Amino acid sequence: MDAIDRKILAILQREGRISATDLAERVGLSLSPCHRRLRALEEAGVITDYRASVEPSKLGLGFAAIVYATLREGSRENVLAFEKALLGVPEIVQAQRLFGEPDYMLHVVSKDLATFQRLYDDSLLALPHVMRLNSTLVMKSVIPSRPFPI
């Protein structure tokens, strides 16, 4: 990856809808080499997807919580079963496995506190191999999402 690839990535992180023509012009390439670089970045797994950033409150998802999960036993089978089950809970918008305790940090969105409580009781507590859940409520997003420093 060279400086031009990094410039392409920096621009795409900020302006995902930029046309290939405008992108090529901004990085100083003609259209064809710019397309080749984009394709190579996608095939190498550097660019994993393209999506719109959405304001959750505009979708009725005005409540957010961070839920910390500790598994009873960290065996390979338990970890795989837990991680597979996470995929079935759409309100979990990000999940990270951690070193030490707790084992996971789950970013959860919902309509409101009552909806979160039902989700917690019905779905999160039912996740396989959970020993303990601790949650903290999000007061506000200070940096909801930003580009990686390239």
Side-chain angles (χ1 to χ4, degrees):
M1 184 176 318
D2 63 12
I4 293 175
D5 289 335
R6 290 183 182 283
K7 192 170 183 182
I8 288 171
L9 294 171
I11 291 168
L12 285 175
Q13 285 187 105
R14 289 188 315 276
E15 304 171 56
R17 292 183 55 144
I18 190 170
S19 71
T21 304
D22 290 342
L23 179 62
E25 183 179 310
R26 298 243 320 257
V27 299
L29 292 175
S30 62
L31 187 56
S32 217
C34 187
H35 267 294
R36 278 195 297 276
R37 284 177 179 263
L38 274 173
R39 197 171 330 112
L41 289 166
E42 291 166 353
E43 289 171 359
V46 177
I47 297 173
T48 57
D49 60 16
Y50 297 89
R51 66 175 77 182
S53 294
V54 177
E55 172 55 44
S57 66
K58 302 290 186 186
L59 301 173
L61 300 171
F63 185 86
I66 308 295
V67 178
Y68 299 97
T70 302
L71 302 186
R72 277 192 284 278
E73 179 190 334
S75 71
R76 179 170 165 61
E77 295 78 22
N78 289 0
V79 165
L80 291 174
F82 179 80
E83 290 180 1
K84 182 178 180 184
L86 292 178
L87 299 173
V89 184
E91 294 86 354
I92 299 172
V93 295
Q94 186 178 24
Q96 296 161 314
R97 187 172 176 197
L98 309 173
F99 277 109
E101 285 201 25
D103 296 311
Y104 289 87
M105 181 169 61
L106 312 175
H107 299 256
V108 180
V109 297
S110 69
K111 176 183 172 190
D112 54 26
L113 179 59
T115 307
F116 172 72
Q117 186 252 315
R118 282 191 301 279
L119 173 76
Y120 190 96
D121 292 345
D122 298 342
S123 297
L124 301 180
L125 285 173
L127 290 167
H129 312 293
V130 169
M131 178 173 73
R132 181 175 51 256
L133 295 176
N134 292 311
S135 58
T136 186
L137 308 182
V138 175
M139 184 184 300
K140 76 176 188 178
S141 281
V142 178
I143 302 173
S145 179
R146 67 175 163 194
F148 291 111
I150 298 178

